[in-house]
Amino acid sequence: MTDVNPPAVEMLHITKRFSGGVVAVEDVSIGVAQGEIHAVIGENGAGKSTLMGVLSGLIPADSGEIRLSGAPVSNPGPASAVRHGIGMVYQHFMLIPVFTVAENIVLGREPAAGLRFDRRAAEEQVRALSDRYGLKVDPAARVETLSVGQEQRVEILKVLHCGADILILDEPTAVLTPQETKDLFSVLLQLKSQGKTILFISHKLNEVLAIADTITVLRHGKVVETMPAKGAMKESLARMMVGRDLESGAPDPRHPVGAVASASAEVLLELERIEVLRDNGLPALRGVSLQVRSGEILGLAGVEGNGQTELLEVAAGLREKVGGEIRLHDGVSGRDVSRTSISERHRLGLSHIPEDRHRRGLVLDFSVVENAILGRHRDEAFCGPWGIRSSADIEAATLAERFEVHANDLADRVRGLSGGNQQKLVVGRELARRPRVLLAAQPTRGVDLAAVAIIHRALREARSTGAAILLVSSDLSELLALSDRIAVMYEGSVVATLDPAKTTEEELGLYMAGGGRSSAIPS
Amino acid sequence: MLMKRLLVATAAAIALWSWWDYRAGAADSSGLTGPRRRIAVVLSVGGLGDKSFNDSAYEGLLRAVRELGIEEAHGEPADIAEPAEFLDVYAEEGYDLIIGVGFLMKDAVEKAARSHPDRKFALIDAPIDPREYPNCASLLFSEHEGSFLVGALAAMASKSGRVGFVGGMDIPLIHKFKVGYAEGARHVNPECEVLVRYAGAGPDAFHDPVKGKAMAETLFSQGVDVIYHASGSTGNGVIQAAAEHGKLAIGVDANQNYMKPGHVLTSMLKRVDVAVCETIRAVCEERFQGRVCVFGLKEGGIGYAMDEHNRALVTSPMQERVEALKAKILAGEIRVTDYLEVQRGK
Amino acid sequence: MLKKLDELSVSAWALLAAGVVVSLVILAIGENPIAVGRALIDGAFGGPRRVANTLQYAIPLTLSGLAVALAFRGGLFNIGVEGQLYVGAFAAAIVASPVASRTAGEGLATACGPLAILAAILAGVTAGAFWAGIAGALKSLRGVNEVIATIMLNWIALFLVGYLVNLPSFKATGDIPQTAEIAAGGRLPGLFPLSGDGAVMAGSGLLLALTTLLAVVWLFGRSVLGYEIRAVGHNPSAAEAAGIPVRGRLLQTMLLSGAIAGLVGADQVLGVHHRFIANFSPGFGYLGIAIALLGRNHPVGIVIAAFLFAALKGGALQMDALTNVPREMITVLQAVLLLFVAAAAGVRARMGARET
Amino acid sequence: MNEFSLLPALVPATIQAATPLLFAALGGLISERAGIVNLALEGMMLAGAFAGACAAILLHDAVPGHPAAAAAGAVMAALVAGALVALLHAAACITFRADQVVSGIALNMLVLGLTVFFSQSIFHMKGGTPQLEEVTLGRLSLGASMALSPLCFVAAAVLPVAGFLLFSTPFGLRLRACGEHPRAAATVGIPVARIRYLAVLASGLLAGLGGLYLVFDVGSFSKEMTSGRGYIALAAIIFGRWRPGLTLAGCLLFGLAQSLQLQLQGRVEVPVAFLQMLPYGVTLVVLAGAIGRSTPPAALGKTG
């Protein structure tokens, strides 16, 4: 490449601080050449999404400059970004559920016949576009009826319809099956061959190495290095992302520590032929049956949207089911808790680490103390005739110490804590119940590695004390490291139950994509 | 930054308003000398601008300012607790006479008269026992007599033989208007039908012109061609409706003939202004006493309005006939039912 | 603690700004803002009767501010305090008047009085809670937006009590749509004299307000129910996951808020008017919204805001009686104040929002 | 009691009662479809009414003999006044991200106070104006018994225009996108704030006309003359599930209830109060989903 052509995208000395002085990105400069796939990688919270938000105009930078083909962008903002041919596919899709596919795609540049919005022309345009790039969708369908994979296609079509030459994709594979990921990559390569410039955010090194031409590593809001993908090593990239060698103290996933449940151990949680409907009335779970035994971690693998979330919510009592039974065993006989309230399930020994700590796990405007007893606030230990006792303060302090929750003051709102500290607080609180059954959904999502280690240690400890743990994670290596058995879900059914010692990420991926129906080990 | 801009913009808007200020020179014509009596009027809820009851009382107060050189103050209560507070404020500020306008104020005036025995009070439209409250005068009107006369005119002017009445609230005081009106109409035309509507159940009923108009239109649609209203500013809507539909309205309290000339047959004059001004005069001349004063046809406190605005509507035969009826009432040959008296008699 | 002060300082700044705006308006109509201000203060605090009036007016304002704030804390916007207090007032009046009038003058009255008062207060509170409970039930069972539901219920309440008070069985004789006067034994007694001769008394409604205030402080300071209500208010999903019955708490929040609103009505009937009178409220329920917002939903802030509004009201009357400045200036002041507080809160929320 | 049938009078009365509601409701509909809750409709109407009356009277005084010009001035003034209140609401809600419900309530208070304030300083009348005298908009006859204000026809014409604008034009698609998912709209370059400002402004213009209708109906302005019609318009929108046609039905229902209770007075023994309550009760029932589910725009009322 010669220096005659300026890079398609240049971001120079970009700095963005959020309120409270949190620095998201600091003095970041990157350049992206015309027609390349440029991956931006980093841990959660490294500033990838913020940086791309600045480029797409949605987040105003505090300082710095953006140049496109050498020309500075004078008036950044979403509209100007669109004008300059920048299109972004967001991690959380920016689609309007009640609009049709065509309406979503042409929004902002609608074909018109006179004053009238020309719906037929819009659908025609979408059809042509989807044919050209092999992204099949029904233009007249309402977006709320689509699957996640289809929604992503709509998002990409939307960006293409805007005439974008520069595409930004924020963690596009997080919600896709391996097969869908493969399809996506072929679309991206096709786009590249047509001269489009692609920025690709990820933290999955395999994917990045497979598709990218250039890689920029971000850590703590700063650029660590930009390098060609060819010749880059997975291990060195990982080291750059986290800033040190991957935790050497981590136990070998093939030899989990702690008591491994024998097949004879007591079944504590039993789900039988659970059937659940999605919010849109389509089936989410089609007769799922599972058993979790004391001293066992049952991992639940699957691409997001295949029913894992619903399964845990049903078990936790947060979602209605249309069929099947949930039994919590207390040593003597199984009790069907289908109609039992959440607080009663808590009393029966059930704990739940919700998948989204902001939505389900914490009250962000409550203090650390108040969050530390959330769900246990009616326990006699914390609650007297005159209300909540000061023992709550002591409990919060204990939790904070045991789980290394770093807070300036336990009376501060948890909104101000980092994601890792928030998550440690949730995990600590749920484990402090000494649950017989623990439902753990994405327990380490979006937290720093130190916090991951603490949370993993805590889960193993709970297992060793005889808890039955049902673990959902989209991180396959986490599942392989922690689980005693792994059940794979696909389209609302368990399609395989595997022994982690005898399987690989590739095999899991195959099942997750619906690639076979068998049971490797009996459950 | 934006806040600052907003403030600047607001200031500019206000400056614009003040430049556009339409206010005429202050109405203060205080050229008189000598120790001045201080008189306060506490108006009825709804306040000034009703073109009838309150405005009439205020007119009396202003006339006293002009003729007697008193110093005036007036309060316009916004809710039912405030009349009492206004009375207290004026009593404490040393006003010589404080006049409460409207029957709603009865309790408040009695209470104020009790706690300020050294002040004089007057109440319009409801009787207060002078034996119990010697510092309190009540100013009552023989509305039934005036209503009888306009009722007679209504029946004479009506072509359909069907006349209407719009009252503010469905209460005895308003019934007094209605009964007199109906008697007058039937006296002229025994076949005459009187359709009656009330605006509402709360004090709001006396200042809802939108509703007044809708009610009048309803009555017109039912064949009525003359409507008499006793409903404060609600009646403004009645008069408006009459003008729009080419029908007739009859005003109340003040002379409302001017409001839609050619469409206001006449107005039942209830000279609240006369009562107010005369009471003030009594105070100025040191002859005020706590008693119940009735202002009727005889006293000139009640009448019907004739002026250039309705000259064309009331023909001279009609006027002659009404004058004859008036003479008969004065002579005692016709006794118009006083609904309130009937009530009290029960 | 510092944060709390910081939040109240927003209100203080807004008050200052609103004062500036209104002063400009007063200047615009050619009056002297300083003289107006003096009249305001004199009207609010000049003499025992005025202090008593200010106090008496602060009671319903504090209570309705608390009612709105309680709902706010639970994540609900109760615009229906006005309707709830009317229903509560009417219930209190019909319970109080027969008991009190039958026993009036008899020896029994002194014995029955306190009981009658208690029963009437209870009736008012229950009726207010019931009326709010309709909106609460619609919210918790059908997800109906409580803002709209309470607005509708306000209208229905006004028509309903307007109809009931005119029924022959309730209406007192005379022209005014009001119930019979409650005999002395059934009224809230005076609490302590404010003037030397004892002619002006502070009403014992003050005691009701104080009790309610302390109850609300306890509710949100320590109680488990308050903890749960706040959890639902901040994050219903998390509250649900924590085993808190969200729907029940929503309903209870509305019931409690309506109960306080009903207390406003009962206090007005038993302590001030001594009967139910149609349209007696000068918009206490709506002012409560402004007071809750101005006081940042904090009990102490609410008391301060309520006294501010009460003083403004007393002062406005004085000003209206004796100067050329119409009292609606106070409405303007309150509106501008509310607007500034809301805007300032919005700006702070935006600055405080972490975008990721 | 008499032989006159209800219907001939009821139809025009219902239309007249529904017209101011329809103006405000259509305005509110546009604003809410763009995601801004509009409790300020009441204040916008009142401001329009007051400004219209002022303009009519002052212009007529300044240039006597040209009532038509004064009437035109009144229309302009009502539009401007409604728009000014709308601008304040938009600034508070969009620029300052104030709570939309609070802003609406505050503005209603503000307008109420200011109308009294200025009527006092302009006309020396507290909360009222003198009669408009000969300044009118006239009436358009429809058949023998129906003569309606031209504003009724304007309202009837605005309805399909608003419907077309919202549901058949690119602008409408964008506007609804702002009400459903403003961030999504922003990412494709739609100027969300500007569109929301325009939507709120439109609501101010229409509500201002609704207020003006009342003034020309009774021939003068009086304090609080809108008496809650802004809130009723809001109820009509909800009743109409945020759709223009059904919103019209809602306005007609409220109009019918209002005129019916006047017509039936003295004819039947149904207490008037219950007729008055009826539409509010029906709205509650509609809200409760008893007559189909009512789904507001997804981002309605969300600040930020």
Side-chain angles (χ1 to χ4, degrees), chain B residues 17 20-23 48 76 162 197-198 209-211 213-215 217-218 221-222 240 244 260, chain D residues 2 4 9 16 58 61 95 121-122 125-126 133 139 217-219 222 229 262-263 265 267 276:
Chain B
W17 262 113
W20 202 43
D21 200 337
Y22 190 72
R23 299 193 321 151
L48 294 178
E76 297 178 67
R162 188 172 277 204
R197 296 288 181 274
Y198 296 100
V210 179
K211 189 157 190 190
K213 186 174 183 230
M215 286 200 295
E217 285 177 341
T218 306
S221 78
Q222 291 168 9
Q240 176 78 13
E244 281 180 22
K260 289 288 170 191
Chain D
N2 62 61
F4 288 91
Q16 285 171 30
L58 298 180
D61 283 359
T95 305
S121 59
I122 298 174
M125 283 171 72
K126 218 161 175 179
E133 305 299 345
R139 309 218 132 215
D217 194 33
V218 297
S222 60
R229 285 182 176 79
L262 296 176
Q263 291 280 336
Q265 224 190 84
R267 293 189 187 219
Q276 289 173 310

Side-chain angles (χ1 to χ4, degrees), chain B residues 25-249:
Chain B
D28 195 8
S29 60
S30 57
L32 294 152
T33 50
R36 300 203 298 173
R37 300 282 177 170
R38 301 170 77 214
I39 314 289
V41 167
V42 181
L43 295 160
S44 162
V45 175
L48 294 178
D50 63 358
K51 302 177 188 73
S52 72
F53 195 53
N54 283 312
D55 283 358
S56 184
Y58 188 58
E59 174 57 37
L61 184 65
L62 291 184
R63 194 181 310 141
V65 170
R66 284 192 303 271
E67 295 176 4
L68 304 167
I70 59 147
E71 184 186 328
E72 67 96 5
H74 61 280
E76 297 178 67
D79 65 64
I80 59 151
E82 286 194 354
E85 291 177 41
F86 271 112
L87 293 169
D88 275 331
V89 168
Y90 290 127
E92 283 173 13
E93 292 290 327
Y95 279 77
D96 300 286
L97 169 69
I98 302 144
I99 304 174
V101 180
F103 62 91
L104 286 170
M105 236 173 278
K106 185 176 179 207
D107 290 353
V109 169
E110 286 180 351
K111 200 174 151 228
R114 213 178 309 136
S115 38
H116 303 278
D118 50 334
R119 302 264 172 268
K120 301 181 183 68
F121 292 90
L123 174 66
I124 294 172
D125 265 3
I128 289 178
D129 190 344
R131 281 163 299 184
E132 211 174 321
Y133 302 95
N135 57 336
C136 208
S138 8
L139 316 176
L140 305 182
F141 295 86
S142 310
E143 293 96 346
H144 52 295
E145 296 175 351
S147 298
F148 182 92
L149 297 182
V150 299
L153 274 171
M156 289 182 237
S158 172
K159 294 182 185 74
S160 63
R162 188 172 277 204
V163 298
F165 176 83
V166 168
M169 285 156 72
D170 192 351
I171 52 171
L173 179 66
I174 299 302
H175 296 168
K176 189 176 176 185
F177 288 76
K178 178 194 77 178
V179 169
Y181 176 68
E183 282 185 2
R186 297 224 178 83
H187 188 86
V188 169
N189 173 10
E191 303 290 297
C192 189
E193 238 185 292
V194 182
L195 273 62
V196 179
R197 296 288 181 274
Y198 296 100
D204 274 356
F206 286 104
H207 47 99
D208 191 349
V210 179
K211 189 157 190 190
K213 186 174 183 230
M215 286 200 295
E217 285 177 341
T218 306
L219 285 172
F220 291 143
S221 78
Q222 291 168 9
V224 165
D225 54 2
V226 187
I227 299 177
Y228 173 40
H229 87 87
S231 60
S233 64
T234 301
N236 296 358
V238 176
I239 294 171
Q240 176 78 13
E244 281 180 22
H245 292 263
K247 302 281 163 70
L248 293 172

Side-chain angles (χ1 to χ4, degrees), chain D residues 85-111:
Chain D
V85 180
L87 211 57
L88 282 177
H89 189 53
C93 297
I94 301 163
T95 305
F96 292 101
R97 308 201 187 195
D99 185 294
Q100 298 173 7
V101 172
V102 175
S103 166
I105 291 172
L107 284 171
N108 292 345
M109 279 169 72
L110 182 71
V111 175

Side-chain angles (χ1 to χ4, degrees), chain A residues 74-87:
Chain A
S74 52
N75 186 16
S80 131
V82 171
R83 251 195 328 278
H84 285 101
I86 298 174

Side-chain angles (χ1 to χ4, degrees), chain C:
Chain C
M1 197 59 214
L2 275 173
K3 263 179 212 148
K4 291 262 164 61
L5 280 178
D6 189 34
E7 288 199 349
L8 279 179
S9 80
V10 171
S11 299
W13 279 110
L15 181 61
L16 193 70
V20 169
V21 169
V22 171
S23 299
L24 288 173
V25 177
I26 293 171
L27 278 174
I29 65 163
E31 299 286 337
N32 180 354
I34 295 170
V36 170
R38 208 173 292 145
L40 269 176
I41 292 168
D42 184 47
F45 304 110
R49 192 191 51 76
R50 292 175 196 169
V51 172
N53 271 343
T54 302
L55 271 179
Q56 180 183 296
Y57 203 71
I59 293 167
L61 289 179
T62 303
L63 286 173
S64 57
L66 287 173
V68 175
L70 195 149
F72 264 137
R73 290 285 196 99
L76 294 169
F77 200 155
N78 183 6
I79 298 192
V81 171
E82 187 76 0
Q84 291 144 24
L85 75 87
Y86 267 108
V87 175
F90 190 78
I94 56 169
V95 168
S97 51
V99 178
S101 55
R102 199 183 321 124
T103 55
E106 296 169 24
L108 207 60
T110 37
C112 270
L115 272 180
I117 295 171
L118 205 65
I121 291 177
L122 224 60
V125 165
T126 312
F130 167 75
W131 204 251
I134 298 174
L138 284 170
K139 171 84 179 183
S140 68
L141 297 179
R142 310 287 311 189
V144 174
N145 182 330
E146 77 283 0
V147 170
I148 301 299
T150 49
I151 290 175
M152 296 302 112
L153 284 166
N154 276 348
W155 289 100
I156 297 175
L158 274 178
F159 289 127
L160 185 68
V161 296
Y163 166 72
L164 291 176
V165 75
N166 278 298
L167 287 181
S169 38
F170 296 130
K171 189 172 174 248
T173 48
D175 285 345
I176 306 168
Q178 58 186 15
T179 58
E181 190 168 30
I182 298 164
R187 301 175 187 175
L188 281 176
L191 195 58
F192 54 86
L194 282 168
S195 61
D197 56 358
V200 183
M201 300 282 284
S204 48
L206 215 52
L207 221 52
L208 287 180
L210 200 66
T211 314
T212 311
L213 183 73
L214 291 176
V216 172
V217 168
W218 173 77
L219 182 73
F220 287 128
R222 291 212 75 82
S223 82
V224 176
L225 181 64
Y227 173 91
E228 296 193 347
I229 287 175
R230 284 186 298 131
V232 172
H234 284 305
N235 187 347
S237 300
E240 186 191 7
I244 297 169
V246 173
R247 291 174 169 204
R249 291 297 169 265
L250 284 173
L251 179 60
Q252 282 161 340
T253 305
M254 263 329 246
L255 287 174
L256 283 174
S257 176
I260 299 179
L263 190 60
V264 177
D267 166 64
Q268 291 294 295
V269 163
L270 301 173
V272 181
H273 302 302
H274 304 137
R275 55 172 25 137
F276 179 88
I277 314 175
N279 299 62
F280 73 85
S281 163
F284 287 129
Y286 300 110
L287 291 171
I289 297 167
I291 287 163
L293 286 163
L294 197 58
R296 317 294 301 168
N297 293 326
H298 191 278
V300 177
I302 286 168
V303 172
I304 296 171
F307 269 86
L308 176 70
F309 273 41
L312 282 175
K313 156 96 175 175
L317 191 121
Q318 185 86 358
M319 194 180 70
D320 193 63
L322 303 173
T323 75
N324 275 327
V325 181
R327 62 129 56 88
E328 275 71 16
M329 191 207 79
I330 298 306
T331 311
V332 174
L333 178 80
Q334 289 167 343
V336 174
L337 191 54
L338 195 52
L339 215 49
F340 279 161
V341 170
V347 169
R348 282 163 59 95
R350 175 169 46 165
M351 291 192 308
R354 285 183 58 177
E355 303 166 51
T356 38

